[in-house]
Amino acid sequence: MSTRESIIHLADQLIRDQGYNAFSFYDIAKTLGIKNASIHYYFPGKTQLGIAVIKEQSRRFNVLKQAVADKRPAEQLRAFAHTYAATRQEERICIVGSLASDLHTLDTETGQSLALFAEEVIEWLETVLEQGKKLGDFTFAVPTRTKALLIITNLLGGLQLTRLTQPQDFYTIAETIIQELSPVQIKENNT
Amino acid sequence: MSTRESIIHLADQLIRDQGYNAFSFYDIAKTLGIKNASIHYYFPGKTQLGIAVIKEQSRRFNVLKQAVADKRPAEQLRAFAHTYAATRQEERICIVGSLASDLHTLDTETGQSLALFAEEVIEWLETVLEQGKKLGDFTFAVPTRTKALLIITNLLGGLQLTRLTQPQDFYTIAETIIQELSPVQIKENNT
DNA sequence: TTTTCTACCTACTAACAGGTAGGTATATTT
DNA sequence: AAATATACCTACCTGTTAGTAGGTAGAAAA
């Protein structure tokens, strides 16, 4: 991994661990064994680094998208949820949740970049849900976009809320999302 | 409102607008027309102010709880969701979402205070859902705690995600949560 | 061989952060 | 009237922040 890539990777980890306003150039520099000023060689300012992090997340999201494009909707959704589960295991949150929380402290470019990425994810999820519905793999009684919003907020919010409860709560949420979409639900009575 | 109360109120607004690490004592001081040092008179440090904000949120939550205690579960839930809708209109997010995002930068006391508050909310929601189920007002096929987690993450995450889309998306989410609990669902086909 | 480029570096700055020490005007209590 | 408590204040300190100016060793290109 190049220095540039390492900077982006570390910035991403720090943003999703501590938040955009809590990480500093020095945090990255000390880990990489370079000096603060060297980060400015690659990124003029924090804004540009932030945008690079969002773009990299978008790139990785598109890699996943392509990788699962031929699979069944349920499996696509499962792969998507799995990335959140991995994030949960790192005790981190998703980039959208992290930066949306700090939105009013970011400049407009960063905000626009983030909004673009969020819309990308929502739209992909809509197509997966539509596919699933057509194939009879998914059942849901609300408009597709609404269902997509509900699922994403469950995952995004789940990462944050379950930092305060237990990791297991997150996995329960993720499993439930998928279970609830199945047309035939084997109901167990948990009393 | 006393100076002390004003400080807490402003800190709360700032935390839920910009995030814990983005607000400064000076932000509060300038608005109140006092000096930085005067805030330290009421709160020894940022930590204590943060905890005071959480405790105030908890107090207000309990006021709401009492105010709706005698009402039907659906109306209790609606009142709860309404507080999030009001927050959405201010372009703010909820305290749990804001501070959970910054959790790894807070000291343990603050984190514990927050976790306590989050559990309070989850447990209240569980009892409301249980009540609703017993009365036949609510139907849901997952364990009560799971349903509570799903609803809270929808609201918490909805406030954050819809900062990037449109306010209407949040109201859709909030409405859908309540609609989906109703035992008889009048299904419309939105194509 | 000389020039240019890459990938850093040292050294610095201005702004801002939370926090502290100690002072003071006013109101309240004794 | 004297003592005390309240609710601030001025002045200062130390640490950290993003960011800048200009230098340099080594590799690549001309």
Side-chain angles (χ1 to χ4, degrees):
Chain A
M1 201 167 13
S2 70
T3 302
R4 190 196 155 84
E5 286 167 331
S6 296
I7 293 170
I8 294 174
H9 177 73
L10 264 167
D12 174 78
Q13 301 261 107
L14 287 164
I15 289 171
R16 293 185 300 105
D17 188 57
Q18 308 182 352
Y20 183 83
N21 292 305
F23 97 91
S24 76
F25 281 36
Y26 180 65
D27 291 330
I28 293 170
K30 74 176 171 205
T31 306
L32 293 183
I34 59 174
K35 299 296 162 181
N36 268 12
S38 302
I39 300 169
H40 288 283
Y41 169 72
Y42 294 100
F43 306 97
K46 208 179 180 182
T47 295
Q48 287 76 20
L49 176 52
I51 291 171
V53 167
I54 297 166
K55 294 297 174 203
E56 172 62 18
Q57 285 272 348
S58 170
R59 195 191 61 77
R60 284 170 55 185
F61 170 67
N62 277 281
V63 168
L64 178 81
K65 229 162 93 169
Q66 294 306 315
V68 299
D70 298 334
K71 303 196 172 161
R72 298 211 95 176
E75 206 170 334
Q76 292 190 45
L77 187 59
R78 200 170 277 281
F80 179 65
H82 181 76
T83 65
Y84 286 82
T87 300
R88 180 61 190 82
Q89 267 182 307
E90 305 172 333
E91 289 265 14
R92 295 205 163 86
I93 62 176
C94 70
I95 194 73
V96 172
S98 179
L99 293 181
S101 293
D102 293 338
L103 189 71
H104 293 351
T105 72
L106 308 174
D107 46 288
T108 46
E109 301 159 84
T110 314
Q112 281 166 1
S113 232
L114 185 66
L116 221 69
F117 176 52
E119 200 59 50
E120 257 182 66
V121 177
I122 294 168
E123 277 168 23
W124 172 79
L125 192 49
E126 284 182 66
T127 67
V128 172
L129 289 170
E130 274 298 326
Q131 269 180 53
K133 202 172 198 176
K134 271 187 191 132
L135 291 169
D137 291 0
F138 292 157
T139 319
F140 49 93
V142 297
T144 306
R145 182 177 175 89
T146 303
K147 192 65 189 174
L149 292 171
L150 290 172
I151 290 172
I152 293 175
T153 54
N154 280 147
L155 294 170
L156 181 157
L159 287 177
Q160 296 181 18
L161 183 65
T162 70
R163 275 186 161 184
L164 306 171
T165 62
Q166 333 147 21
Q168 184 51 49
D169 280 337
F170 181 80
Y171 307 120
T172 304
I173 289 168
E175 268 308 309
T176 306
I177 289 168
I178 292 161
Q179 292 291 327
E180 282 202 319
L181 284 166
S182 306
V184 181
Q185 287 178 35
I186 295 119
K187 290 180 193 175
E188 277 188 49
N189 218 343
N190 311 53
T191 44
Chain B
M1 201 168 11
S2 71
T3 302
R4 190 195 155 85
E5 287 167 332
S6 297
I7 292 169
I8 294 173
H9 177 73
L10 264 166
D12 174 77
Q13 301 261 105
L14 286 164
I15 290 171
R16 293 187 299 105
D17 188 56
Q18 308 182 352
Y20 183 82
N21 292 306
F23 96 91
S24 76
F25 280 37
Y26 180 66
D27 291 329
I28 293 170
K30 74 176 170 203
T31 306
L32 294 182
I34 60 174
K35 300 294 161 182
N36 269 12
S38 301
I39 300 169
H40 287 283
Y41 170 72
Y42 293 100
F43 305 97
K46 207 179 180 181
T47 295
Q48 287 76 20
L49 177 51
I51 291 171
V53 166
I54 296 166
K55 294 297 175 204
E56 173 62 18
Q57 286 272 348
S58 170
R59 196 191 60 77
R60 283 170 56 185
F61 171 67
N62 277 281
V63 167
L64 178 82
K65 228 161 94 168
Q66 294 306 315
V68 299
D70 298 335
K71 304 196 171 162
R72 300 211 94 175
E75 206 170 335
Q76 293 191 44
L77 187 59
R78 200 169 277 280
F80 179 65
H82 181 76
T83 65
Y84 287 81
T87 298
R88 181 59 190 80
Q89 267 183 308
E90 303 172 336
E91 289 265 16
R92 295 206 163 85
I93 63 176
C94 69
I95 194 74
V96 172
S98 179
L99 293 181
S101 294
D102 294 337
L103 189 72
H104 294 349
T105 72
L106 308 174
D107 45 287
T108 47
E109 302 160 83
T110 314
Q112 281 166 2
S113 232
L114 185 65
L116 222 70
F117 176 53
E119 201 58 51
E120 257 182 66
V121 176
I122 294 168
E123 277 168 22
W124 172 79
L125 193 48
E126 285 183 64
T127 67
V128 172
L129 290 170
E130 273 299 326
Q131 269 180 55
K133 202 171 196 175
K134 270 186 190 133
L135 291 169
D137 290 2
F138 292 158
T139 319
F140 48 93
V142 297
T144 306
R145 184 178 174 88
T146 304
K147 191 67 191 172
L149 292 171
L150 291 172
I151 291 171
I152 293 175
T153 54
N154 280 148
L155 294 170
L156 181 157
L159 287 177
Q160 295 180 19
L161 183 66
T162 69
R163 274 184 160 185
L164 305 172
T165 62
Q166 335 146 20
Q168 183 51 49
D169 281 337
F170 181 81
Y171 306 120
T172 303
I173 290 169
E175 268 308 309
T176 305
I177 291 168
I178 292 161
Q179 292 291 327
E180 281 202 321
L181 284 166
S182 306
V184 182
Q185 286 178 36
I186 296 122
K187 290 181 194 173
E188 277 187 48
N189 217 341
N190 311 53
T191 44

